[in-house]
Amino acid sequence: MDFFCEAKKLRLPLTVDDIPVPQKTVPKMASFAMSAKKSHEVKRFSQFVCDDVLKQCEHVQQVVDVGSGKGYLSEYLARCSGVTVVGLDSQPMNTRGALNRKQKVSKRWKKKAKAGVLKRSLADLSRKDISLTEDSLSISDLFNELSSTLSAPEDSSDSCLKVNTSNDVPDSSVSARLKPVAVKTDVLQAVAVDDSNHYIETDSLTEPLMNSASSFVPITIEINPSDYNRLLTEAEQLSDGRFISQEPFCIIGLHACGDLTSTALRMFSSLPTAAAVCVVGCCYHHITEEGGTTGFPLCNYLRSIDAHLGRNTRMLACQTLARFTETTSVEAILKIHWRAMLQVVLSRHFSELFNAVERLKTDLVVGRMKKPVKTFQEYCAIALQRLKLDVNRINPSHLTSIELEYLSRITKLQQFIRVRAVLAACIESVIILDRLLFLQEQHDIATAGLVQLFDPVTSPRCYAIVALSSHAC
């Protein structure tokens, strides 16, 4: 018990939301092709950047999204903030996907906006007492004018946008948020959806709540950690001047994979025009610990003691304590138990494999099984086929004897996984705090800290590393 208590003290605190995460957190056209998890992440990340980071850097009108992928965050942030968002991704396929999605969102947005205008206009006509004079239009003329300007048909299922009428505005002070706190489930007023029947209320009937013209610019570019100035120059050229390299900008990254998070932090600390950074990391097993520019360690203290984690330890950091009850169910434990017994089968019946060390590293990968497997015998048959081994070399009775031999180990395995889950949070905390200390060691940093943006059950990698530059804000 003392071990668990000490481990809990060493990990970053997590707050699980009491309110369930809604399945639809953003308007349909802005959340096109988003899962509930992605919608949860994009909404909260954008809310924090808009309400906290950009408000502290009011002169910043451009954002760089490192590892933007399909542009879910970039597209959403560009529409709700109005700033230029340049998405950097090394994969041309992701850039094409982002452009394609941007076009589809714009098309849906225009259709939805027109349908909303028609709904509002017809409602206004029904409320007004129109007197017919020589100088006024007839009712039929009004309908003709509406139909001539709005060619899109009315969508009866969801004909207009809805707005959240709540007046709650989150605290805009970044300094008050730079600590491990849970972000409330309040949504951006400008883009929220609720269950009420309030239609768009704007001075102009054609003005949607979010920007209909997206300022998101996705480009394909390789991020070279050795020359960030050249990176900005190339980004300016590839964006046709929509991104200005000499102007201040904010760096963001939602689940920046592996070393990409440390690259974004180094980029922020190296460039005088980088006003702020807000990055959520992930995929710790892809972090490099050897070579020139490593992803861990970053801070001077851990580098001075030659701190090293290793791939297995970094893989463990990817697990989450918040999902412990889900990942340690009977079914999940049983699959891990089967995988361990498969190792026994391979050592006893295919001992020659263990002499080929290189093959063990590359070829002996079973992978996930999509179809449900009910017995250990069935699991072994599928696994041996994937490993391209002869299933007939094993008598089914041998598999049964191995299963009975190790039946008592299930309880110990469950205890072992529980200990690993506790340590996983501590290891992740070491990686995150190393990145935070790196920022705090830099000059010209006004403030730096951590903010829990997401519900850890919905999105396990939930901490954002945030910093503001003293000379750019």
Side-chain angles (χ1 to χ4, degrees):
M1 184 60 67
D2 292 339
F3 169 79
F4 288 101
C5 292
E6 289 299 321
K8 186 176 181 180
K9 294 178 183 178
L10 294 175
R11 65 177 175 85
L12 292 172
L14 291 174
T15 303
V16 180
D17 289 348
D18 296 328
I19 304 175
V21 179
Q23 295 299 311
K24 296 181 180 180
T25 56
V26 293
K28 291 182 179 180
M29 50 279 196
S31 61
F32 173 69
M34 281 192 201
S35 63
K37 176 178 178 293
K38 179 63 68 176
S39 177
H40 171 85
E41 296 164 349
V42 167
K43 183 252 309 189
R44 294 197 174 192
F45 196 103
S46 299
Q47 176 181 355
F48 180 73
V49 172
C50 289
D51 291 352
D52 293 85
V53 178
L54 292 180
K55 280 189 177 181
Q56 299 297 316
C57 309
E58 295 180 353
H59 61 292
V60 174
Q61 295 299 316
Q62 51 187 9
V63 174
V64 172
D65 184 4
V66 293
S68 57
K70 297 292 183 65
Y72 296 107
L73 172 64
S74 301
E75 172 74 15
Y76 186 89
L77 181 61
R79 289 185 181 276
C80 68
S81 68
V83 301
T84 300
V85 181
V86 179
L88 309 183
D89 200 278
S90 61
Q91 300 298 323
M93 182 180 298
N94 286 339
T95 303
R96 290 194 296 268
L99 287 170
N100 183 46
R101 183 179 179 277
K102 177 183 177 181
Q103 294 173 355
K104 291 183 178 180
V105 170
S106 297
K107 183 178 180 180
R108 288 167 177 247
W109 192 273
K110 291 178 181 178
K111 181 179 179 181
K112 185 68 66 172
K114 288 182 179 180
V117 172
L118 180 60
K119 186 76 174 182
R120 163 78 188 282
S121 301
L122 294 179
D124 286 345
L125 286 175
S126 64
R127 291 195 300 265
K128 292 181 180 179
D129 182 16
I130 302 178
S131 59
L132 300 180
T133 64
E134 295 181 356
D135 297 329
S136 64
L137 293 173
S138 65
I139 294 179
S140 60
D141 291 334
L142 288 173
F143 276 98
N144 290 334
E145 183 176 340
L146 274 175
S147 60
S148 64
T149 55
L150 301 174
S151 57
E154 180 180 358
D155 186 354
S156 59
S157 61
D158 190 9
S159 58
C160 57
L161 293 174
K162 299 178 181 180
V163 299
N164 190 345
T165 56
S166 172
N167 293 323
D168 296 334
V169 179
D171 184 12
S172 60
S173 172
V174 172
S175 301
R177 299 287 295 281
L178 292 185
K179 57 184 179 179
V181 296
V183 177
K184 296 181 180 180
T185 53
D186 299 337
V187 293
L188 279 173
Q189 278 187 302
V191 295
V193 174
D194 62 14
D195 294 329
S196 61
N197 293 318
H198 299 282
Y199 296 121
I200 298 178
E201 295 292 342
T202 58
D203 294 332
S204 173
L205 293 178
T206 59
E207 180 185 353
L209 291 178
M210 295 172 68
N211 297 297
S212 60
S214 173
S215 54
F216 167 45
V217 186
I219 60 177
T220 302
I221 190 171
E222 193 74 33
I223 300 178
N224 187 356
S226 61
D227 194 349
Y228 295 119
N229 288 310
R230 182 180 178 182
L231 172 69
L232 295 184
T233 302
E234 292 181 359
E236 183 173 3
Q237 295 173 351
L238 293 173
S239 65
D240 296 329
R242 283 175 285 182
F243 171 77
I244 304 175
S245 59
Q246 300 302 320
E247 296 291 330
F249 63 94
C250 173
I251 302 173
I252 64 172
L254 176 56
H255 291 157
C257 181
D259 289 343
L260 192 56
T261 298
S262 56
T263 299
L265 300 182
R266 286 192 174 102
M267 181 178 175
F268 167 72
S269 63
S270 302
L271 296 172
T273 51
V277 63
C278 181
V279 184
V280 177
C282 75
C283 303
Y284 303 130
H285 55 293
H286 289 316
I287 294 176
T288 58
E289 297 187 71
E290 299 175 357
T293 306
T294 61
F296 181 89
L298 295 180
C299 71
N300 291 332
Y301 172 71
L302 291 183
R303 293 173 70 89
S304 66
I305 63 174
D306 295 326
H308 182 77
L309 294 176
R311 190 176 188 277
N312 288 336
T313 305
R314 288 184 276 109
M315 282 284 290
L316 177 58
C318 296
Q319 298 183 14
T320 173
L321 188 62
R323 288 184 175 179
F324 179 77
T325 56
E326 179 180 339
T327 57
T328 54
S329 62
V330 176
E331 183 179 356
I333 289 291
L334 197 58
K335 289 182 179 179
I336 298 174
H337 185 59
W338 287 348
R339 179 60 184 86
M341 289 192 296
L342 176 64
Q343 195 76 12
V344 177
V345 172
L346 293 177
S347 64
R348 292 182 182 180
H349 297 274
F350 300 91
S351 58
E352 67 275 7
L353 292 178
F354 289 86
N355 297 325
V357 179
E358 293 302 321
R359 185 180 179 189
L360 280 175
K361 292 181 179 180
T362 57
D363 296 342
L364 297 183
V365 178
V366 176
R368 294 184 178 182
M369 298 184 182
K370 296 181 180 179
K371 295 182 179 180
V373 181
K374 298 181 179 180
T375 64
F376 176 60
Q377 286 78 5
E378 185 181 356
Y379 175 85
C380 278
I382 297 175
L384 294 176
Q385 288 178 357
R386 290 187 177 184
L387 297 174
K388 298 180 180 180
L389 300 175
D390 187 7
V391 182
N392 297 324
R393 288 178 58 175
I394 305 176
N395 192 312
S397 60
H398 292 171
L399 296 178
T400 303
S401 63
I402 292 176
E403 193 171 8
L404 293 174
E405 180 183 353
Y406 289 93
L407 182 62
S408 60
R409 301 289 186 91
I410 294 182
T411 302
K412 291 184 178 181
L413 179 62
Q414 188 174 15
Q415 295 171 348
F416 174 71
I417 292 177
R418 183 172 299 179
V419 173
R420 280 174 57 90
V422 172
L423 291 177
C426 298
I427 299 169
E428 182 183 20
S429 299
V430 170
I431 297 174
I432 294 176
L433 291 175
D434 169 57
R435 293 167 171 176
L436 175 62
L437 288 176
F438 167 77
L439 287 177
Q440 293 179 343
E441 292 169 351
Q442 307 306 309
H443 300 292
D444 299 327
I445 302 296
T447 183
L450 303 175
V451 178
Q452 182 187 334
L453 291 184
F454 313 134
D455 181 277
V457 177
T458 304
S459 182
R461 309 281 78 81
C462 57
Y463 268 107
I465 303 173
V466 190
L468 302 177
S469 173
S470 59
H471 57 73
C473 286

